[in-house]
Amino acid sequence: MEPDDVSGLPPGVSDKLRAEGVTELYPPQESAVNTGLTDGESLVASVPTASGKTLIAELAMLAAIERGETALYIVPLRALASEKRTEFERWEEFGVDIGVSTGNYDSSGEWLASRDIIVATSEKVDSLIRNDAPWIDQLGCVVSDEVHLVNDRTRGPTLEVTLGKLRQRNSDLQVVALSATIGNADAIANWLDASLVDTDWRPIELQMGVHYGNAITFNDDSQQPVPVESGERQTPALVADTLAGDDEDDQGSTLVFVNSRRNAESAAKRLCEVTAPVLTTEERASLAEIAASIRGVSDTETSETLATCVEEGAAFHHAGLAAEHRSLVEDAFRDRQLKCIAATPTLAAGVNTPSRRVIVRDWRRYDSEYGGMKPLDTLEVHQMMGRAGRPGLDPYGEAVLLAGDNDTRDELFDRYIDADLESVRSKLASEPALRTHVLATIATGFARSRTELLAFLKKTLYATQTDTNGRLKTVTDTVLEYLKRNEFITEDDETLSATGLGHTVSRLYLDPMSAATIIDGLQWAAKNETVQVNALSDRSTEHAADGFQPASEFAKSAGDTVHEDGDEPAVTYPTAFGLYQLVCRTPDMYELYLKSGDKERFSQVCYEREAELLERTPSEYDDVRFESWLSALKTGRLLEDWADEISEDQITERYDVGPGDIRGKVDTASWLLGAAEQLAGELGMKTKPIADARRRVEDGVKEELLDLVDVRGIGRKRARRLYDSGIEDSAALRTAEKGIVLRALRGRRKTAERILENAGRSDTSMDDIDEAPGDSINADADGGANANVAEATAETQQNRDVDDDSGNQAGLGDFS
Ligand code: ADP
């Protein structure tokens, strides 16, 4: 079938496809069209990685737009949203408008209403439904990419419920679900009332094998010698072998999948020894340029290490990298400048970076529930292997696992090469998942009684996959009880409704348990402070006698400074650190992991700062609770360091995290603190201390810089330099001597002009202005890299309402 034969597309689309090299549809694409894809029929396409699923989605979306409908593309990872947007932008010449929505979980995204294609994560779509986004009803076509993730314990339930709600809102909705090849694609098709295209066809042959000893053994029993000298490692030998082709077309690139960020970095460093010698002079020159761009993204050690590797022709790729880093690496690899990438599996999840050979070096990863190194799922390994083979460039792709002995070779064949495909199973019946989704379903009016609720749940994948409804009912009842006890819902004469607080929690996209934790913490603070206030001063109240005050009175005291007998403030409740630790205790924050030695270190911090923590510290003998308390404390300390203007580089070192992690924690914390602010408001408590703590962590500054960072273009470093030059707020910027401004901004005239304009100054020209004499101020050893993560964060925060695709959800889809 040729593109011209596809009906329902906007005029000109088939010409464009042909110009791009799509002269024939791939067989799975043809089958999809034959099921009525461009006539609005629902479809599940279970097709191997890199076999043209994206075009299936595009054909469906373009046909929907031609019918006057809006299309929604649900991405599995926030980090993939901008990649997809870039891919779809080529349809703009047909008048197609694209909007990406990944940030702010509590906005209704009204601006998206005018877009033809909306790209969002399932969490974002879920929150838009909760906030009653008006355009939801205009949707004609929804694409769910990587729908097999319904199997995922943490993210699957949201995807499942979101698709359920979209279908309930519009019974004619076309759902196009794209899946990796799985064992039970028919179950998904059955759940979604969709046709099924289920195939293992690929555009380029994939040979899967295991390297052991001096050769790779492939699935067709053929062998390819790749000798490994004793003492030599397998990976570099295989990378060198891929590079050693006779002519240029035969010289291939390699993707190496490993199980942690640290391993990715150390493997890349070692692989430089193999890639560096084959680089041509031109390649070295262009890699040096890419390395310079990488250094320009941020001034951290990770950035420096990455740039150094890239200069030598190798790179690493993981979710701890800034998004800009990741795309620089992906582009350079696609352009064949980089010869090798050592990556965690984030790269396998949808980024189009095919390579001649894929090496799955680590097929196990540490799993705390499992209590050791757990073999990866077949599906995951197949997604990594599927990145092998560049159509049109390579004769075939090769995916290689590594074995150190005969038994392991046999095990790898059994597990990953000869294995049956895995089946996916709904994870909806878990309590945290239902807690969130039951509240939202009641708050948005999707269900008004227990019966309606169970009827809605009955249409989920979970219900279609289990014979007995028993478990779902039991968990649902436990959850309803929890929500009632926390006053998020009421049940009156069999009618379920959300309370004001419940509506707020649902709109804020909080796990109800996070909301309950935050509310408890804030009330605890208010109550304990009252006790102290009364003990320390003569401000006694009637209620103080029994140590209890109503919420309205907590409000008066919460946030006030408690004075001991003199003028010295003792403790200000709640403190920023107390609030940071509080939000880190909620299930909505991925806490930092406690490494060896951390327990002692953070126990010490805990005792020193206990007075600030907004709840009683659990007993040390209660291992599980105490350790989770300390993890939250560690994460809270990272946030405090950031808000105390500690440099990114020091933070990455102190906590052993990547710059992308800092951004991820900061984003989550500012969202949770924003939520805390609203909850406090709802309960009549003072919100200012929470707002200040939020603004400080958002911008990474001490309180004194808050006014300066409100000026667009001023991030934490510029603000500090201005402040230290005596320009302490935006008003001062309007009257300051320009030479001083210029010196504080390191002589960058354009930047200075822009900032003065943003501060509302009328005479902004820096022509003929000389930098004021004096020591150059170096508040932070940033080496002049102004386009760093900190400044980028500042810009992003200010652009929030428009778009936010620069953050990455740290840890998602990653091993470590
Ligand atoms: P998937 O989404 O299945 O992982 P992609 O959609 O990224 O795979 O497709 C992989 C590559 O194949 C892309 O570069 C795409 O442009 C190309 N491609 C898709 N369909 C065709 C086709 N019919 N003919 C030629 N190339 C195609």
Side-chain angles (χ1 to χ4, degrees), residues 494-534:
E494 299 199 357
T495 303
L496 291 170
S497 31
T499 60
L501 201 57
H503 274 289
T504 305
V505 172
S506 171
R507 261 201 323 272
L508 290 171
Y509 205 70
L510 287 176
D511 179 337
M513 190 178 267
S514 295
T517 306
I518 290 173
I519 292 169
D520 284 354
L522 294 177
Q523 290 184 332
W524 197 88
K527 187 160 135 188
N528 283 278
E529 187 222 6
T530 310
V531 173
Q532 289 208 34
V533 169
N534 292 320

Side-chain angles (χ1 to χ4, degrees), residues 21-22 24-26 29 48-55 352 387:
V22 179
E24 272 296 309
L25 293 193
Y26 286 161
Q29 293 164 344
T49 311
S51 305
K53 285 198 286 282
T54 309
L55 185 58
N352 190 15
R387 293 284 153 210

